[in-house]
Amino acid sequence: MNYPLEIIAPSNYVLATAEAENAPIVLAGVLLSLIVIYLASKLGGELSRMLDFPPVLGELVGGVVVGASALHLLVFPESGATASDSMLMTVLQFFDDVSPEAINSIFESQSEAVSILAELGVIVLLFEIGLESDLRELQKVGSQAAVVAVVGVVAPFIAGTAGLMFLFNVPVIPAIFAGAALTATSIGITSKVLSELGHLKSQEGQIIVGAAVIDDVLGIIVLAVVASLAKTGEVDVFNVVYLIISASAFLIGSILLGKFFNKSFVFTAELFQTRGNIVIPAFIFALFMSFVANAIHLEAILGAFAAGLVLDETDKRNELDEQVIPIADILVPIFFVSVGAKVDLSVLNPVVPENRQGLILAVFLIVVAIIGKVITGWSVFGKPGINRLAIGVGMVPRGEVGLVFAGIGAASGALDKPLQAAIIIMVILTTFIAPPLLRFAFGDAPQDAVEEADAAS
Amino acid sequence: MNYPLEIIAPSNYVLATAEAENAPIVLAGVLLSLIVIYLASKLGGELSRMLDFPPVLGELVGGVVVGASALHLLVFPESGATASDSMLMTVLQFFDDVSPEAINSIFESQSEAVSILAELGVIVLLFEIGLESDLRELQKVGSQAAVVAVVGVVAPFIAGTAGLMFLFNVPVIPAIFAGAALTATSIGITSKVLSELGHLKSQEGQIIVGAAVIDDVLGIIVLAVVASLAKTGEVDVFNVVYLIISASAFLIGSILLGKFFNKSFVFTAELFQTRGNIVIPAFIFALFMSFVANAIHLEAILGAFAAGLVLDETDKRNELDEQVIPIADILVPIFFVSVGAKVDLSVLNPVVPENRQGLILAVFLIVVAIIGKVITGWSVFGKPGINRLAIGVGMVPRGEVGLVFAGIGAASGALDKPLQAAIIIMVILTTFIAPPLLRFAFGDAPQDAVEEADAAS
């Protein structure tokens, strides 16, 4: 029930916290946020499709429109926004008489809930991508994917760092930081576009996904190196070795463990007869793998991807696929719209002097960012006739991973304002340009892929 | 990515809040909570089914086992628990070195996220129940349902209040509060059991659901009266009139609005071609109705139920039904396990003297609670041969609604400890006894209902 003025606290406990008092208003805030997110994702996605762009681009743009750049309906405290910056909170205050202190705590609770839903969204997305990927196919292109990932980390890192130092006289530490930000690849955005184009299961698609996974692991290691460099001036070798070992152990271990878990999954799914007998055991596994990945300081989404890969090998995969689709449809847009909403396009405003300097640096970073990844397509060996441009373009979007690099750089004080702005602009541009570029690189989608995409929609 | 020691804050913003720093650990806490919830719900549900009880009873018991009564894996700050009471937080601290202040804020954020997920779970449950219910069927039994609801509010309220005053010498205000707590009916638990037994669409099922909805509205009005009595000693007539008018307007308005929205829903679902073209517009509508119900101080779940009823009238209902099932399978268990986890069975311990007095009061309240609702079955008119016992038993569970009454009574200071404990025990017992009783009242489920339930599972 909904008693905004009452304090809800069960029975023999005396503590009646402010959180409980505000619970119905926080719920109202989350409901409104979800309505905004779904409207933005659906209108953006459908418009994008009509204009012949991948729908996910429209979801990102929809997020920009409702987010910090324009309507301020969806803003987040970690970007420095307060309750008074949020149009949603203004709407809520219209319905409920809330004190100024309460509204800030409501805003933070609501934002945190939406962020957790977005995290669950990208976990479900990578689980679904794992389910759609084929472990044997991935192993076949594993060495190519590894080379693509390594080239895609080394080339933009060296070109970016050296260019900033020698062309723009940027000191070594910030130059290294900006170079590191160029190494990221957003597996979420790339894999979603591939899936929408019906190219996820192609050789190119599997190389891109494999390389993006490896890139994620490499990115974590690069960031650990750069962050310790920025903080202490030297590299924490122990941490780097720990990350390399734990990441390798996790990926190999999950595939080995998977063969065992496969059988028990099918067994329990057949034993269970109540509702959710397939999807709940699958989610327990996916969430467990995500937790393990998170606990050893990798990304949670890597665990979800591994879980999806493993369960793809079972007899239950078709039933599971079908049931995961609506869950993904509900949760994944929360992630993409949030990514868009967190982008602040005001860094593009050339009237601000700092932005002007940043824009010049940004042009350089964007060129390196695109070329440094596009060339990775030509590092693929032993696959004549493969679409090298598509592979290279598939590695271009930096997405949320790039924002994390920029955020850590900003927090550590290693980056000055113009360079921060330049990195943000690079991230925005590579993220938004990749979906249409990828569509272009693949040319017109093959007929069966189009049908498949239609059937899935 | 996952950088527990780093501060993540994008670019040109300087604010790096503690929330952002702890974000990966909060995520880890939510992932662990969900793993615990799904394990409890599935193991409990399957065991319950094997013992021939409705699965939802097992989910509630599973919640009790992992919750405040036993394992302390899932505890909530609004019940007075702190991070040190939570076994989950102890597990998290093993993986990450977190300061004592940080762990409390992580605990609160994680609990809040789980609570919001549980709220979304019961919203989706009532949306699904609305989709499974038939508006015309409900309208046919509307007058019977209204009588059942009114009798089910008046009979236990008068018997409970009078009994406490004259048999146990309880003062008038606490007696009225306890009497009010007896009026609640948990629509979530009742409708879930009906659905599991394959009786949701029967005449009895539709009368119970209709009566439970009306009971919810009556309950909100009763509580507003009682709460203002307890606080100021007099009834806030304006608030009561406001609630009656807004509730009626909402229910009638949503059905009228529904006829218009129906057409636009089918139109957009056909216009849209990207993924989620049916389920996202449906969710926008359901969340919007939930928000409106919440905003006019009704329960959010009433809005979700109305949205489901309305969309059940469209051509898209079969497709929508199918897609909502896996979403409900993932979200609904979070609600039931949380309800179980919030129950503290320590009030049943007769070694504590306060509990002994409470237990005696509880026996009286339980008798009134069961008889006062069971007799409602015999108030059904014009339906010869209807299963009156089943209707009466269907109104018995107090569930989360009863806990809210007890909580508000405790917070307002109107209830002393023994009476609080007695109400809690009454709520627990009526909630846990209703599923097997309902199964018994319906006798063996008809063959087609069993098949239907199997097919749905």
Side-chain angles (χ1 to χ4, degrees):
Chain A
M1 290 196 188
N2 178 2
Y3 315 95
L5 300 171
E6 300 300 336
I7 291 162
I8 295 170
S11 123
N12 48 347
Y13 309 109
V14 213
L15 250 185
T17 61
E19 273 83 32
E21 190 174 353
N22 294 330
I25 311 178
V26 172
L27 176 64
V30 172
L31 292 175
L32 268 189
S33 305
L34 290 178
I35 293 170
V36 167
I37 286 171
Y38 290 142
L39 282 174
S41 83
K42 216 74 218 101
L43 295 179
E46 289 292 334
L47 264 174
S48 184
R49 183 191 58 82
M50 286 176 194
L51 300 171
D52 216 20
F53 288 117
V56 69
L57 180 65
E59 298 193 26
L60 288 169
V61 174
V64 172
V65 172
V66 299
S69 301
L71 297 180
H72 287 90
L73 285 163
L74 199 66
V75 292
F76 292 88
E78 64 271 32
S79 320
T82 61
S84 55
D85 299 320
S86 163
M87 279 303 296
L88 264 188
M89 289 297 129
T90 313
V91 173
L92 277 188
Q93 278 176 305
F94 174 79
F95 288 103
D96 288 288
D97 192 23
V98 205
S99 69
E101 309 88 63
I103 198 77
N104 272 319
S105 115
I106 290 167
F107 173 62
E108 286 192 5
S109 299
Q110 172 239 302
S111 304
E112 204 151 40
V114 173
S115 297
I116 289 284
L117 286 169
E119 295 266 18
L120 292 176
V122 68
I123 284 173
V124 172
L125 173 67
L126 266 288
F127 179 60
E128 198 190 8
I129 298 292
L131 276 177
E132 289 182 36
S133 298
D134 188 323
L135 183 57
R136 256 157 278 160
E137 203 55 46
L138 261 183
Q139 281 170 333
K140 257 191 251 166
V141 299
S143 44
Q144 282 88 353
V147 171
V148 167
V150 170
V151 173
V153 166
V154 172
F157 179 72
I158 291 180
T161 307
L164 286 175
M165 285 173 68
F166 300 120
L167 299 178
F168 297 93
N169 295 318
V170 173
V172 57
I173 294 271
I176 286 179
F177 228 115
L182 289 167
T183 66
T185 298
S186 165
I187 180 170
I189 288 161
T190 285
S191 58
K192 181 79 181 168
V193 177
L194 284 171
S195 171
E196 285 174 357
L197 295 178
H199 276 286
L200 187 61
K201 289 176 182 172
S202 68
Q203 267 205 334
E204 289 87 354
Q206 291 292 293
I207 291 179
I208 296 172
V209 169
V213 168
I214 299 168
D215 190 304
D216 244 18
V217 176
L218 294 176
I220 290 165
I221 295 164
V222 167
L223 197 91
V225 173
V226 173
S228 68
L229 248 183
K231 244 198 304 203
T232 62
E234 52 194 58
V235 176
D236 179 350
V237 180
F238 173 77
N239 191 22
V240 171
V241 172
Y242 165 80
L243 279 171
I244 294 173
I245 293 175
S246 65
S248 319
F250 177 75
L251 287 178
I252 297 165
S254 60
I255 290 167
L256 293 180
L257 183 90
K259 290 195 205 290
F260 162 75
F261 185 78
N262 258 341
K263 294 201 184 93
S264 34
F265 170 69
V266 173
F267 176 75
T268 49
E270 277 167 2
L271 182 73
F272 286 179
Q273 285 176 39
T274 57
R275 271 185 58 169
N277 61 329
I278 293 176
V279 78
I280 294 276
F283 263 66
I284 291 175
F285 183 55
L287 296 173
F288 174 74
M289 295 292 281
S290 304
F291 172 74
V292 172
N294 178 298
I296 60 176
H297 298 177
L298 295 176
E299 279 193 74
I301 57 173
L302 290 181
F305 177 75
L309 264 187
V310 163
L311 294 185
D312 182 51
E313 302 290 295
T314 66
D315 302 342
K316 296 279 170 194
R317 58 154 293 178
N318 288 335
E319 269 175 276
L320 183 57
D321 272 4
E322 222 170 82
Q323 296 188 16
V324 170
I325 288 172
I327 299 170
D329 287 347
I330 284 296
L331 288 174
V332 175
I334 306 174
F335 170 70
F336 286 117
V337 173
S338 298
V339 169
K342 282 178 185 167
V343 164
D344 188 350
L345 291 186
S346 67
V347 292
L348 290 172
N349 183 358
V351 177
V352 182
E354 265 169 357
N355 288 355
R356 253 172 283 163
Q357 207 193 330
L359 282 168
I360 297 166
L361 287 169
V363 172
F364 168 74
L365 288 183
I366 288 164
V367 172
V368 174
I370 294 176
I371 296 177
K373 290 289 188 180
V374 168
I375 57 162
T376 63
W378 280 264
S379 71
V380 177
F381 57 92
K383 300 272 177 192
I386 205 161
N387 191 334
R388 294 172 188 281
L389 181 62
I391 293 175
V393 167
M395 303 294 291
V396 165
R398 265 62 176 181
E400 70 292 354
V401 189
L403 288 178
V404 169
F405 271 86
I408 293 179
S412 74
L415 299 172
D416 60 4
K417 282 241 168 190
L419 197 51
Q420 279 175 44
I423 294 175
I424 297 277
I425 295 168
M426 179 276 292
V427 169
I428 295 172
L429 203 109
T430 56
T431 304
F432 283 74
I433 212 174
L437 268 190
L438 200 54
R439 184 156 191 13
F440 167 77
F442 273 115
D444 278 319
Q447 203 50 43
D448 59 332
V450 171
E451 272 161 21
E452 193 186 308
D454 281 350
S457 73
Chain B
M1 291 196 189
N2 179 1
Y3 314 95
L5 300 171
E6 299 299 336
I7 290 162
I8 294 169
S11 128
N12 48 349
Y13 309 109
V14 214
L15 249 185
T17 60
E19 273 83 34
E21 190 174 352
N22 294 330
I25 312 178
V26 173
L27 177 64
V30 173
L31 292 176
L32 268 189
S33 306
L34 290 178
I35 293 170
V36 167
I37 286 171
Y38 290 143
L39 283 174
S41 84
K42 216 75 217 100
L43 296 179
E46 290 293 333
L47 263 175
S48 183
R49 182 191 58 82
M50 286 176 194
L51 300 171
D52 215 20
F53 288 119
V56 69
L57 179 65
E59 298 193 27
L60 289 169
V61 174
V64 171
V65 172
V66 298
S69 301
L71 297 180
H72 286 90
L73 284 163
L74 200 67
V75 292
F76 292 89
E78 64 271 33
S79 321
T82 63
S84 55
D85 299 320
S86 163
M87 280 303 298
L88 263 188
M89 288 297 128
T90 314
V91 174
L92 277 188
Q93 277 176 306
F94 174 79
F95 289 103
D96 287 289
D97 192 24
V98 205
S99 68
E101 308 87 63
I103 198 77
N104 272 321
S105 113
I106 290 167
F107 173 62
E108 286 193 5
S109 299
Q110 171 239 304
S111 304
E112 204 151 42
V114 173
S115 297
I116 289 284
L117 286 169
E119 295 264 19
L120 293 176
V122 67
I123 284 173
V124 172
L125 173 67
L126 266 288
F127 180 59
E128 198 191 9
I129 297 291
L131 277 177
E132 288 182 35
S133 300
D134 188 322
L135 183 57
R136 257 158 277 159
E137 202 56 47
L138 261 183
Q139 281 171 333
K140 255 192 252 166
V141 298
S143 43
Q144 282 89 352
V147 171
V148 166
V150 170
V151 172
V153 166
V154 172
F157 178 73
I158 291 180
T161 308
L164 286 175
M165 285 174 67
F166 300 120
L167 299 178
F168 297 91
N169 294 318
V170 174
V172 56
I173 294 271
I176 287 178
F177 228 115
L182 289 167
T183 66
T185 298
S186 166
I187 180 169
I189 288 161
T190 284
S191 58
K192 181 79 180 167
V193 177
L194 284 170
S195 171
E196 284 175 357
L197 295 177
H199 276 287
L200 186 62
K201 288 176 184 171
S202 68
Q203 266 204 334
E204 288 87 355
Q206 291 292 294
I207 290 179
I208 296 171
V209 169
V213 168
I214 299 169
D215 190 304
D216 245 17
V217 176
L218 293 178
I220 291 165
I221 294 164
V222 168
L223 198 89
V225 173
V226 173
S228 69
L229 248 184
K231 242 197 310 204
T232 62
E234 52 194 61
V235 177
D236 179 350
V237 180
F238 174 78
N239 191 24
V240 171
V241 172
Y242 166 80
L243 279 172
I244 294 173
I245 293 175
S246 65
S248 319
F250 177 75
L251 287 178
I252 297 166
S254 60
I255 289 167
L256 293 180
L257 183 90
K259 289 193 205 290
F260 161 76
F261 184 80
N262 259 343
K263 296 204 182 88
S264 33
F265 169 70
V266 174
F267 176 75
T268 48
E270 277 167 2
L271 183 73
F272 286 0
Q273 286 174 38
T274 56
R275 271 184 58 169
N277 62 329
I278 293 177
V279 76
I280 294 275
F283 262 65
I284 291 175
F285 183 55
L287 296 174
F288 174 73
M289 295 292 280
S290 304
F291 172 74
V292 171
N294 179 300
I296 60 176
H297 297 178
L298 296 176
E299 280 192 72
I301 57 172
L302 289 180
F305 177 75
L309 264 186
V310 162
L311 294 185
D312 181 52
E313 303 290 295
T314 66
D315 304 341
K316 295 278 170 196
R317 56 155 296 177
N318 289 335
E319 269 175 277
L320 183 57
D321 271 5
E322 221 170 83
Q323 296 187 17
V324 170
I325 287 173
I327 299 170
D329 287 347
I330 284 297
L331 288 174
V332 175
I334 307 174
F335 170 70
F336 286 117
V337 174
S338 298
V339 169
K342 283 180 184 167
V343 164
D344 188 348
L345 291 187
S346 66
V347 292
L348 290 173
N349 183 357
V351 176
V352 182
E354 265 170 357
N355 288 356
R356 253 172 282 163
Q357 205 193 331
L359 282 168
I360 296 167
L361 287 170
V363 172
F364 170 73
L365 288 183
I366 289 165
V367 171
V368 174
I370 295 177
I371 295 177
K373 291 288 187 181
V374 168
I375 57 162
T376 62
W378 279 265
S379 71
V380 177
F381 57 92
K383 298 275 176 192
I386 205 160
N387 191 335
R388 294 172 188 281
L389 180 63
I391 292 176
V393 167
M395 302 296 290
V396 165
R398 265 62 175 184
E400 71 292 354
V401 189
L403 288 178
V404 170
F405 272 85
I408 293 181
S412 73
L415 298 173
D416 59 6
K417 281 240 169 191
L419 198 51
Q420 279 175 44
I423 294 175
I424 297 277
I425 294 169
M426 179 276 293
V427 168
I428 295 173
L429 203 108
T430 55
T431 305
F432 283 72
I433 212 176
L437 268 190
L438 201 54
R439 185 157 191 11
F440 167 77
F442 272 116
D444 278 317
Q447 202 49 43
D448 59 331
V450 171
E451 272 162 21
E452 193 185 308
D454 282 349
S457 74

